[in-house]
Structure formats: structure tokens, C-alpha cells
Amino acid sequence: MLFNSYEFIFLFLPITFLIYFYLNHKKLTIASKIFLVSSSLFFYSWWNIIYLPLILSSMIINFFIGVAISKVVKSAKKANKLYVLNKKILLGIGILFNISLIGYFKYSNFFIENFNIATSSNIGLLNLTLPLAISFFTFQQVAYLVDSYRSDIEEYSFLNYSLFVTFFPQLIAGPIVHHKEMMPQFENMKNTIINHKNIALALFIFSIGLFKKVVIADTFAVFANAGFNTEIALHFFEAWATSLSYTAQLYFDFSGYTDMAIGLALMLGIKFPNNFDRPYLSISFVDFWNRWHITLSKWIRDYIYIPLGGNRKGLLFQSKNILISMGIGGLWHGASWTFVIWGLYHGIFIVLYHAMKKVKYFDFLEKTPKWIKILIIFHLISISWILFRADNISQFYEILNGIFFSEATFTVN
């Protein structure tokens, strides 16, 4: 069930809205949460009910590991070596479980294919159907475990935790929301009462997102798909049209869906963090990742880059940590080398930015007119989106060849 589908807009959403606030109006807070969790699981199951046990088992295991970590943190003395060891073991078990889960369902074919190539083996592919939203609810639950380890949160209610994971506005495509950001809002009684200003604003935001997705993104998708799906070599204008169409499609599709999620959550009294901030006006790749999929950028920074050491050991180690973080971020998007290379492509430009800050040429870049920097970064980002969308490296090369090396062709009647 998609946010822009008729069954969602005209059936699921109004029914969920009315019953949720009716139960809260009757002071049936627990019942309202149970209903919202049940509705969210129904929303998830609409696509394929066979994967309902997957998200349920994932929630149960992560919840109890998080509770165990919280109890160790609460009861043990922090100077005790056993305390530190128990925390690390529990966190390690939780992270290993989540990596194994997403690794099996999302990356098994990718690993088998590469193993077969490396060893000349012929192991059969599993060809599993990718479970809906597994990337998002896995990252969200890993963050919950790490935050429990850091003593940032304590959650002993499985109902609250289930609501945190399954809340339908953010379940499918984010934004990636932290427990400490969302769950206190459900405990605030003001948010259980219908707020007409919130609803008006929510409908406005949702409508903007719907317009972005259905009108703008889907229109550009026609031109982008035509270019990527063709079997003939693209000429200059065709290659540029394909590239720029996909650049526009991806932004309006993803930001539109995020706007709809933010609007839906606000209808139910919950405020989500902003996830996009005019990313195509960025003046560097660092600036871009502060504007594009902001919640993912923060997740990668807080749970991969900083634990790896961040920038604490000099430029060389910082560069290594950036490339590892962006490579993992690329792989998170999809099980293909094109996604890994896409992540490393962005990582290289981020590394170059930090390296140039330490040399005299950075002053020259700082004085470069802003519009020139925006234009350069926009086209470098657009090239990366070709890699992101391409089925393989060969297709990426063919389109890139059309952009830079083919001759412009004109038809004269």
C-alpha cells in the first residue's frame, strides 16, 4: 500500500485517524497504541503478508536485547570490567543478529555471485524477494541498541517499542527516526488531542509531497526510464536528458514521499525531522550530505563514522573512515557493486574536500562564486545518479560516453 494509492488515502488513512483519536478521546491510551500498531502492521502486510513474521521476530529479539542492555547499564557499576564486557557482548549479539537478517534477505545473492566469480564455483542463487522496508527498520533498531548501550534511552514496554518500529508514516522509506525523538511525543497528552492547526499544516505538506511524487517525479520517470531501458547507444542530447531526468525524478520521488510521511505523522500529532534541504543547491559534497537524506547522513555519522574513529587520528585515518562509511552507505541502498562504487564516489569527493581544507588552494575555492560551485556540484551529483540507477557498470559507461564523448545530433526536416 503506497501513500499515493486510493486505498490508502480514502480508506486506510481516514479510518486510522478517526479510530486512533476516538480511543484517545475516551482516555483509552493503551488501546489507541495497540490500534496504531495493528494498523501499521496491516499497512506493512498489505504488500506481502508472508513477511509479517519477519518484522515481528525482529522487533521481539531487538527489544529484549535492548532491555537486557538497559538493565546491565542500570544495575552494574560502570568501573566494573564485567559490566563493560556484558554491555559489549549484548550489543555485539544485537548488531550481529541485524546484520545477519539483512545480509540473508538483501545481500545473499550478491555475496554468492561474487563468491562464484572469485572461486569459479557454481553455487545456486537464493533469489529471495526483498522484504519491504528491511533496510529502514534494521537501521532504526541498530540505533536503538546502540543508544541503549550509551545509556541514552531505556525502553521496557514492548507496546511502545512496537509503535516505535512499526509507525506507518516512517516504516517504508523513513525518515530514520530515533527512539528518543519519537516516543516522548506519544507520551505527551497534548498530542493525543486533535489539533486543527497541525491537521491543516499536515494536509498542506502531504499535498506538496503527493504533487512532487505523482505529477513531477512520475513525469520525469517516463524520460529517465526511456533512456535507461533503451538497448541502443544514446547520443549527446539523449544522454543528457536521461541523466537530468533521473536527477529530477529521484529527488522529487524521495523528497515527495518524505513530505507525505512528515505530513501523515503530523496528522497524528507526531513531528518528524526534516529530511531534505534544497540539496541541489549544495556547494560541496559535504554540504550535499547535510541536505540530502539528512536522517541517513546523521545515522552514518553517529553509528559508523564516529565509532570508527571519525577525524580523531588525522587526515589519513579520517579519509579511511569516510570511505568505509560511504561504502557501507552505498551498499545499504542496494546489493550491487554500482551502489558500493556510488558510495565511494561520494566518499572520494568528501575526502578531497577535507584534504583541500588543509592546503592553500582551499582559500581559492572559498572565493569561487557560489553559483559556479553549485553548478559544478550539481553536475557531479548528476553523474553519480547515473551510477545509482544503472543496472551495471557497462550501462553507466555507455550513458557517460553519450554525455561527454558522443557528437550532438540534429534532425533537419
Side-chain angles (χ1 to χ4, degrees):
M1 191 187 306
L2 299 175
F3 290 161
N4 56 307
S5 64
Y6 292 121
E7 57 265 25
F8 178 85
I9 294 174
F10 296 111
L11 289 175
F12 178 85
L13 180 58
I15 291 172
T16 301
F17 176 87
L18 292 172
I19 295 178
Y20 174 71
F21 279 111
Y22 173 78
L23 292 172
N24 278 317
H25 178 70
K26 294 296 183 179
K27 308 300 181 184
L28 300 173
T29 305
I30 294 178
S32 71
K33 290 181 179 180
I34 293 174
F35 171 75
L36 200 51
V37 170
S38 301
S39 299
S40 297
L41 290 174
F42 174 81
F43 171 79
Y44 181 82
S45 304
W46 184 270
W47 176 73
N48 193 340
I49 197 171
I50 195 173
Y51 285 117
L52 179 59
L54 176 67
I55 191 172
L56 290 173
S57 59
S58 176
M59 284 193 306
I60 292 169
I61 293 171
N62 277 288
F63 170 72
F64 282 108
I65 292 175
V67 167
I69 292 173
S70 296
K71 287 183 176 179
V72 169
V73 169
K74 193 172 183 180
S75 62
K77 293 181 179 179
K78 294 188 178 182
N80 192 310
K81 291 183 180 179
L82 185 60
Y83 155 84
V84 176
L85 180 62
N86 287 340
K87 276 208 315 178
K88 288 184 176 180
I89 290 174
L90 288 170
L91 179 62
I93 291 172
I95 291 176
L96 180 62
F97 166 74
N98 285 287
I99 291 175
S100 300
L101 192 68
I102 194 173
Y104 175 73
F105 283 100
K106 188 170 182 177
Y107 301 106
S108 55
N109 281 350
F110 175 69
F111 292 136
I112 292 172
E113 286 174 351
N114 285 280
F115 181 81
N116 285 342
I117 293 171
T119 63
S120 299
S121 302
N122 192 28
I123 301 174
L125 301 179
L126 299 181
N127 293 320
L128 299 169
T129 302
L130 182 65
L132 188 67
I134 190 171
S135 297
F136 284 93
F137 70 69
T138 298
F139 264 32
Q140 193 163 317
Q141 293 188 102
V142 168
Y144 159 75
L145 294 178
V146 175
D147 289 346
S148 298
Y149 176 86
R150 294 172 176 172
S151 307
D152 289 339
I153 57 172
E154 292 180 4
E155 180 57 84
Y156 298 104
S157 167
F158 183 66
L159 176 59
N160 286 344
Y161 182 75
S162 300
L163 184 56
F164 158 65
V165 175
T166 65
F167 188 46
F168 71 87
Q170 53 83 38
L171 178 59
I172 305 301
I176 300 173
V177 183
H178 294 264
H179 184 281
K180 58 188 176 184
E181 292 175 330
M182 185 167 72
M183 294 317 297
Q185 296 187 63
F186 280 102
E187 303 304 319
N188 188 339
M189 296 307 296
K190 291 182 180 179
N191 296 331
T192 63
I193 302 171
I194 293 178
N195 185 316
H196 295 92
K197 289 184 178 180
N198 278 353
I199 293 173
L201 180 58
L203 288 172
F204 177 70
I205 295 172
F206 181 85
S207 298
I208 290 175
L210 187 63
F211 183 84
K212 283 182 180 180
K213 171 68 180 73
V214 175
V215 178
I216 304 178
D218 289 356
T219 299
F220 278 112
V222 174
F223 301 103
N225 292 337
F228 279 101
N229 294 338
T230 186
E231 295 182 358
I232 62 174
L234 299 177
H235 292 292
F236 180 81
F237 290 114
E238 296 166 333
W240 273 101
T242 298
S243 172
L244 295 178
S245 292
Y246 185 66
T247 296
Q249 177 205 341
L250 186 63
Y251 168 72
F252 286 109
D253 193 302
F254 195 13
S255 70
Y257 214 80
T258 299
D259 287 345
M260 287 190 278
I262 291 172
L264 291 169
L266 189 58
M267 287 182 198
L268 298 171
I270 306 301
K271 294 181 180 179
F272 279 169
N274 186 26
N275 212 26
F276 290 90
D277 181 18
R278 300 172 296 171
Y280 291 154
L281 295 180
S282 303
I283 59 174
S284 70
F285 274 74
V286 172
D287 188 28
F288 175 79
W289 280 101
N290 287 326
R291 294 166 174 264
W292 175 274
H293 205 340
I294 298 169
T295 56
L296 174 63
S297 302
K298 290 181 178 179
W299 196 99
I300 292 173
R301 180 197 66 194
D302 294 343
Y303 300 103
I304 300 178
Y305 174 69
I306 291 177
L308 284 173
N311 61 356
R312 292 193 293 270
K313 295 183 179 180
L315 181 61
L316 184 62
F317 280 93
Q318 181 187 17
S319 300
K320 178 206 69 173
N321 295 337
I322 289 171
L323 292 175
I324 291 174
S325 301
M326 294 306 296
I328 293 173
L331 189 61
W332 176 82
H333 283 86
S336 169
W337 282 113
T338 55
F339 288 107
V340 177
I341 297 170
W342 170 82
L344 293 175
Y345 174 98
H346 282 256
I348 289 170
F349 279 103
I350 294 173
V351 166
L352 289 173
Y353 174 84
H354 287 291
M356 294 185 73
K357 285 177 68 175
K358 298 183 179 296
V359 299
K360 60 183 179 180
Y361 297 108
F362 189 73
D363 291 335
F364 169 76
L365 291 177
E366 287 287 276
K367 295 175 182 177
T368 302
K370 185 177 180 180
W371 69 270
I372 293 179
K373 289 188 283 188
I374 290 174
L375 194 62
I376 291 171
I377 296 301
F378 173 78
H379 283 95
L380 290 173
I381 294 294
S382 295
I383 289 172
S384 79
W385 290 142
I386 303 172
L387 187 59
F388 190 87
R389 173 63 172 79
D391 295 329
N392 48 57
I393 299 298
S394 296
Q395 188 181 49
F396 168 69
Y397 170 76
E398 288 174 2
I399 296 176
L400 207 62
N401 183 68
I403 288 175
F404 290 109
F405 301 110
S406 70
E407 295 180 0
T409 59
F410 299 88
T411 301
V412 180
N413 294 325

